[in-house]
Amino acid sequence: SPGMLARHYSPRAPLEIRGSDAAERILELLSQEGRLGWLTFGTPPSHPDLIVATMPSNASAYASALYATLHAMDMAGVARIIVEFPPEDEEWLAVRDRLTRAAVPPA
């Protein structure tokens, strides 16, 4: 079953899951890789090479929007997608699992 694979619904662009250092990583990569995607809970500063998706703070709504958002980032031609790691609460367990699987590089 597809949901049991280590790599599942991965975007074409490499995906990184970051903690509180996400903004620093974005600044570092903007000078190196060009257009980036960022899934965040906040409102980051605008930059012409940064495509931002402010994600829902509700786990269920986030899960519903996740794959469409990753697909939109791919369609926008980003070189890399940075994702702010969601809360450690149990209700976010499925979202964290999906993100972890989406971040697995191709074999």
Side-chain angles (χ1 to χ4, degrees):
S1 147
M4 300 301 291
L5 299 174
R7 184 173 197 264
H8 185 62
Y9 285 113
S10 298
R12 289 187 304 268
L15 186 142
E16 283 185 37
I17 305 168
R18 305 300 290 209
S20 60
D21 67 339
E24 293 169 26
R25 181 68 173 149
I26 290 284
L27 291 174
E28 174 188 336
L29 290 171
L30 279 171
S31 64
Q32 300 170 9
E33 295 195 21
R35 180 175 269 182
L36 299 174
W38 189 4
L39 277 64
T40 182
F41 292 102
T43 307
S46 65
H47 187 283
D49 288 327
L50 184 59
I51 299 173
V52 177
T54 302
M55 298 300 285
S57 58
N58 171 282
S60 178
Y62 188 110
S64 294
L66 179 60
Y67 294 131
T69 304
L70 293 177
H71 180 70
M73 294 283 178
D74 269 341
M75 295 301 293
V78 298
R80 183 177 300 269
I81 301 169
I82 304 299
V83 179
E84 235 177 89
F85 203 71
E88 296 284 340
D89 300 347
E90 187 173 322
E91 68 181 305
W92 288 89
L93 182 62
V95 170
R96 289 193 309 273
D97 180 65
R98 289 178 189 177
L99 286 171
T100 302
R101 290 172 190 266
V104 173

